[in-house]
Amino acid sequence: MLERNDLWNLIKFSMEQDLSKITFQTFVEPAKPLQLDNSQMTIEVPTNLHRDYWEKNLAAKFTDLAMQATNEQIRPVMITEEEHQQLTKDSQVTTGNVAAGQSANATTPTFMRETKLNPKYTFDTFVIGKGNQMAHAAALVVSEEPGSMYNPLFFYGGVGLGKTHLMHAIGNKLLESDPTRNVKYVTSESFTNELINAIQTKKQEAFREEYRNVDLLLVDDIQFFANKEATQEEFFHTFNALYEENKQIVLTSDRLPNEIPQLQDRLVSRFKWGLSVDITPPDLETRIAILRNKADLEGITIPDDTLSYIAGQIDSNVRELEGALARVQAYSRLNNSPITTSLVADALKSLHLNSKLSEVSIPVIQEKVAKYFHVTVAELKGKKRNKQIVIPRQIAMYLSRELTDSSLPRIGNEFGGKDHTTVIHAYDKIEAALKTDTEMQKSVGDLKGQLKA
Ligand SMILES: Nc1ncnc2c1ncn2[C@@H]1O[C@H](COP(=O)(O)OP(=O)(O)OP(=O)(O)O)[C@@H](O)[C@H]1O
């Protein structure tokens, strides 16, 4: 399935060709896609008049274009800006959910994240490569002997590298061998929201029952436990209850437990009791294998050299790789032409993959930062920890993450083989300093100006 924005951009592009300029500018340009799930796209428009026009004149065209692009029936659901604001307010009141990014803008279909396991995320569909070999092996062991070897099993690493996939694979495998097992998958955000609901509706006992009676608990993205005292307190007790009963716990995060801000020490130490394994970005061969696997599963015909071309363009994460393939597939359908390397180049052009990378590279950033602070590039890549070097090094890492598409491990590598968590730490530090420290604002502003010039 294409990502919401990707599909929207393709449809918008086709509408622009078909509609008069004035109709396009009046009704399509101000529309905003909010959410895409399997059968509908929710689209926000400024007024009732826009909504009526869409429903009467554009909805059918939208569905046709979406069908051409994805081969699926997707209907547009129009809401006005005012209705959207009201809905967002209502959902905050009922769920206590005020965290950014959890409104109707969420792009992940809720059925995958919050209620059940995604049946597509199995060991069979997971491609093993250097960066995930150990994680895969540990996941397999845990799915065969839950609660005995590695408890908890903790996966960490950058976004879109397969942590959730492996976690679901454990659950799916366990249920396949014994459908009576009680498996619960939850994101840390849903855990928090369910807890808040339970407190508000005085159903804490039921909440505890539900969580403490599982055979396998899968909690995704636990970095969002950061700073959430009540959630951490509750989770601590859930963890203990399950652990004592030898029930398996699997956790994922974008960083190691001790790097999650304000995570209680007692949780950090418990999370380290079992096995922590990192997942690093796939190398070129693995990326090609993932694409080939995906293309086969979807029945897409695509030549080998074209697959290699896509894999060479996108080295950051697997989700983007899959998004690129979906985009290419949609582009080929809309243009009614077979997938070739030149079609792929056209389809991916608007992602500006090369221009972003070639405009600013990590060595250029290192050179500019070193010059600005009168240190050497070797010192930035080295291990010295005095303030005169540490701050420029952290700024250079921050800028590398902001201005290039490089993955965290790749940035770490370019800085003398440092761990990706060091890059996260540097980024967080500079980001926090930029909020209050005027000297930092000036240095980073100057450097950005120089780099973009
Ligand atoms: N090795 C792999 N083989 C096949 N598919 C993969 C592999 N790694 C990742 N994917 C696919 O990439 C997509 C993103 O993976 P996933 O959601 O598991 O990432 P994640 O590490 O949990 O990211 P996030 O931190 O954003 O939650 C999924 O569709 C998943 O199936």
Side-chain angles (χ1 to χ4, degrees):
M1 177 69 129
L2 277 171
E3 288 282 337
R4 172 197 54 185
N5 286 342
D6 249 349
L7 177 60
W8 173 249
N9 287 335
L10 286 166
I11 289 178
K12 207 168 142 184
F13 176 77
S14 297
M15 283 192 167
E16 193 172 8
Q17 320 298 313
D18 289 356
L19 301 171
S20 73
K21 196 168 169 204
I22 184 83
T23 308
F24 180 79
Q25 283 176 345
T26 312
F27 294 103
V28 184
E29 275 201 329
K32 263 200 299 201
L34 294 179
Q35 189 174 18
L36 172 64
D37 68 19
N38 283 341
S39 60
Q40 66 182 46
M41 184 185 277
T42 311
I43 301 170
E44 182 195 281
V45 284
T47 68
N48 287 341
L49 192 145
H50 288 80
R51 187 187 55 204
D52 295 347
Y53 187 89
W54 259 89
E55 283 170 355
K56 204 156 157 246
N57 303 301
L58 299 177
K61 185 182 274 301
F62 176 99
T63 307
D64 280 354
L65 290 169
M67 173 60 93
Q68 282 177 49
T70 64
N71 222 8
E72 285 177 47
Q73 186 82 24
I74 299 173
R75 72 188 176 94
V77 175
M78 313 308 298
I79 67 169
T80 63
E81 221 172 290
E82 202 184 326
E83 285 166 342
H84 179 214
Q85 280 166 4
Q86 190 55 44
L87 278 175
T88 310
K89 258 195 233 147
D90 290 354
S91 86
Q92 284 170 3
V93 171
T94 51
T95 65
N97 171 9
V98 289
Q102 293 183 18
S103 66
N105 283 328
T107 51
T108 315
T110 44
F111 81 93
M112 284 186 190
R113 287 275 179 196
E114 285 169 16
T115 52
K116 38 184 159 145
L117 299 172
N118 184 341
K120 287 188 185 159
Y121 288 175
T122 62
F123 286 114
D124 287 345
T125 56
F126 191 81
V127 176
I128 306 166
K130 234 194 249 152
N132 60 35
Q133 202 167 20
M134 181 157 162
H136 173 267
L140 202 60
V141 169
V142 160
S143 72
E144 282 168 359
E145 290 175 51
S148 57
M149 286 272 275
Y150 309 124
N151 205 13
L153 177 59
F154 190 101
F155 294 130
Y156 68 100
V159 294
L161 296 181
K163 301 185 293 295
T164 305
H165 187 133
L166 274 183
M167 183 178 234
H168 283 228
I170 298 172
N172 281 323
K173 176 116 196 293
L174 185 65
L175 285 174
E176 192 187 290
S177 55
D178 182 356
T180 64
R181 296 293 195 112
N182 190 356
V183 175
K184 186 157 179 73
Y185 166 78
V186 73
T187 64
S188 63
E189 286 151 308
S190 312
F191 183 87
T192 303
N193 289 334
E194 284 178 29
L195 175 64
I196 293 170
N197 263 337
I199 295 170
Q200 282 174 346
T201 53
K202 302 199 167 40
K203 290 193 176 136
Q204 262 157 297
E205 256 329 294
F207 175 88
R208 285 185 187 138
E209 278 281 294
E210 191 181 338
Y211 275 93
R212 295 179 195 178
N213 280 320
V214 300
D215 298 304
L216 169 63
L217 178 63
L218 311 166
V219 187
D220 212 352
D221 291 327
I222 58 131
Q223 70 272 15
F224 294 115
F225 277 177
N227 308 324
K228 295 193 178 114
E229 271 301 309
T231 303
Q232 291 186 23
E233 183 68 28
E234 186 63 38
F235 191 71
F236 174 74
H237 296 293
T238 305
F239 185 102
N240 289 343
L242 292 176
Y243 190 86
E244 275 161 25
E245 295 281 317
N246 293 328
K247 305 296 188 188
Q248 179 71 44
I249 301 155
V250 183
L251 308 165
T252 76
S253 167
D254 67 351
R255 58 196 85 182
L256 276 166
N258 52 316
E259 281 149 3
I260 299 173
Q262 296 187 24
L263 185 66
Q264 294 173 3
D265 288 346
R266 55 189 190 162
L267 279 179
V268 173
S269 72
R270 270 163 182 75
F271 291 172
K272 287 186 186 162
W273 280 350
L275 177 71
S276 302
V277 206
D278 69 336
I279 302 189
T280 56
D283 55 18
L284 183 68
E285 286 72 28
T286 314
R287 295 202 299 279
I288 296 173
I290 290 173
L291 282 174
R292 184 169 295 123
N293 200 33
K294 190 89 189 152
D296 287 350
L297 282 174
E298 308 250 325
I300 311 171
T301 312
I302 179 161
D304 280 354
D305 61 332
T306 310
L307 279 182
S308 309
Y309 177 80
I310 304 174
Q313 295 290 305
I314 291 165
D315 69 351
S316 45
N317 80 55
V318 182
R319 190 174 294 120
E320 280 179 16
L321 206 58
E322 288 184 340
L325 187 63
R327 189 182 173 88
V328 165
Q329 191 187 7
Y331 199 85
S332 128
R333 284 207 178 112
L334 281 171
N335 289 289
N336 204 13
S337 38
I339 299 177
T340 59
T341 304
S342 84
L343 179 129
V344 168
D346 263 357
L348 302 185
K349 207 171 359 183
S350 60
L351 300 179
H352 302 299
L353 298 164
N354 290 325
S355 60
K356 198 171 177 195
L357 285 174
S358 62
E359 265 167 27
V360 188
S361 66
I362 297 174
V364 171
I365 293 172
Q366 290 170 332
E367 205 180 293
K368 293 267 184 216
V369 173
K371 203 161 163 205
Y372 188 88
F373 288 104
H374 307 290
V375 297
T376 64
V377 171
E379 283 172 321
L380 289 182
K381 293 183 177 183
K383 291 200 164 80
K384 272 196 211 151
R385 304 199 44 83
N386 47 322
K387 203 172 164 198
Q388 288 92 322
I389 311 285
V390 168
I391 297 211
R393 185 183 294 140
Q394 289 179 333
I395 291 179
M397 287 181 174
Y398 171 86
L399 290 170
S400 301
R401 188 168 180 200
E402 278 279 293
L403 303 179
T404 76
D405 280 338
S406 306
S407 61
L408 293 169
R410 184 166 167 170
I411 297 173
N413 257 341
E414 298 264 1
F415 281 81
K418 296 194 173 54
D419 195 76
H420 83 279
T421 53
T422 310
V423 184
I424 296 180
H425 176 69
Y427 186 88
D428 289 349
K429 262 201 107 165
I430 301 301
E431 197 186 33
L434 282 171
K435 291 189 183 132
T436 50
D437 181 341
T438 49
E439 210 176 310
M440 181 65 80
Q441 288 162 356
K442 178 168 173 1
S443 311
V444 171
D446 286 351
L447 281 162
K448 272 192 176 170
Q450 287 182 18
L451 286 160
K452 283 183 179 162

